[in-house]
Every structure is written in structure tokens, then in C-alpha cells.
Amino acid sequence: MTDLSAPSITSVAKTAWWVLVARALIALGLGITALVWPGPTAKVIIALFGVWALVDGIIALVSIFTSRGRSWGWLLLEGVLGVTAGIIAFRAPETVGLAIVIVIAFWSIMIGALEISGALQIREVPGSGWGWLLTAGIFSILFGIVLIAWPDIAAKTLIVLIGIYAILIGLFWLITAFMIRKDVTQLD
């Protein structure tokens, strides 16, 4: 017997793909900005990171109510981490040093773990793009580890690393989103 109250995988995917597109576009915007203007001011880049983390966290929190098929607990954790990272970036923008590097590192590692968990949850769905999400998660964790291993890197280097990371993660999310969208279109 089918549970009529449970959302179908198609309805969940219809909601999930645009959330990934929004997150990808924000990440790509941050990444391009970081690479085009690496030197003007670390405060601006940290503020952009703050906006990205805050908006990304809010989108994850909103997704709790719109993506009924995904575990709301993971979305809640992801949202709280993003909002917290954004608030810290705004409250102490002059902290370009060790504190913000560690915040970004742990945020990246946690997001990576959540992405890997999400990828493993959707791996059985044909054409879901779970491999891309898994790659994004592994890349996020590696980025965080690099920042923890060398926390004293110069602000300009950090900005370039954030730019590269944001562009790559944005591309992974965009590819995953359009793979999901393609499959949902084929199911209709």
C-alpha cells in the first residue's frame, strides 16, 4: 500500500533542483569576485563570504519546509552552521587571521560531511548526480583540512583559495541540479 502523505521522489526533486541552482549561483558569484579582486580588501571578501554563508544557511533552513523528502535534521544543522558562519563574519570582519580561517575550515568540513551524507542517501536514484555531490563533499572536507593545516596563510592567499573553492563547489552543485532537473523532466 502506498503512503499518500509521503511526497514522491519527483515532487522532492522538483523542489531540490532549484535550491541547488540558487546555492550554486551564490557560490559562483563569490568565487568570481574573490578571484577578480583578491587584493583590495579582505574585509569585503569576508563580508561576501558572510553573505554567502548566511544566505546559504537561510536557504537550507527554508528547505526544511519545502524539501519534505530530505532529512530535516541535516538541513537544520546545515542551516544553523551557515547562519552562524555568516554572523561571525559580520560581527568580526577585522578578524582576517586565525579565527576566520578556523571558522571557514570547520564550516567547510561540516558542509562536506553533510554533502557526502546527502550523496549516499540519493545514490540509488538513477541519474541523481550523487557522484557530483559526493565529489563536492570530499572537496569541501579537503579544503577545510588545508585551512586547518596552514592557518597562518596570508589573507590574499585565503581569498584566492576561497574563490577557487566557491567556483568549484558552485559548479558541482550546478551540475547536480541540472542532472536532477533532467531526470525529473523525463519522469513527467
Side-chain angles (χ1 to χ4, degrees):
M1 178 170 221
T2 304
D3 180 10
L4 297 177
S5 65
S8 71
I9 190 74
T10 305
S11 67
V12 171
K14 284 180 181 177
T15 303
W17 87 270
W18 71 263
V19 172
L20 274 175
V21 168
R23 292 175 72 188
L25 293 177
I26 292 167
L28 289 168
L30 171 67
I32 291 167
T33 301
L35 292 179
V36 171
W37 296 298
T41 175
K43 289 180 183 179
V44 171
I45 299 302
I46 290 171
L48 287 173
F49 167 77
V51 168
W52 175 37
L54 188 62
V55 171
D56 187 60
I58 291 168
I59 289 172
L61 291 172
V62 168
S63 294
I64 291 171
F65 303 104
T66 61
S67 297
R68 290 170 270 187
R70 190 168 168 205
S71 171
W72 69 268
W74 288 114
L75 287 171
L76 177 64
L77 180 60
E78 185 175 343
V80 168
L81 287 171
V83 169
T84 302
I87 290 170
I88 290 172
F90 287 122
R91 300 242 348 159
E94 68 282 348
T95 327
V96 182
L98 182 62
I100 201 68
V101 171
I102 297 300
V103 167
I104 293 168
F106 281 106
W107 177 79
S108 179
I109 289 169
M110 291 304 299
I111 293 301
L114 294 171
E115 289 168 338
I116 290 170
S117 173
L120 295 175
Q121 288 177 11
I122 65 169
R123 75 178 179 267
E124 298 299 322
V125 178
S128 64
W130 75 274
W132 287 101
L133 191 57
L134 179 68
T135 303
I138 292 168
F139 186 72
S140 293
I141 290 172
L142 291 175
F143 177 71
I145 290 170
V146 166
L147 292 181
I148 289 171
W150 295 285
D152 57 343
I153 58 178
K156 190 172 183 177
T157 303
L158 176 61
I159 292 166
V160 170
L161 287 174
I162 289 171
I164 293 167
Y165 166 72
I167 288 172
L168 290 174
I169 205 77
L171 289 173
F172 292 146
W173 287 342
L174 206 54
I175 291 167
T176 303
F178 284 105
M179 289 181 78
I180 290 170
R181 175 138 167 71
K182 182 184 115 201
D183 287 338
V184 168
T185 305
Q186 290 175 353
L187 292 174
D188 284 339

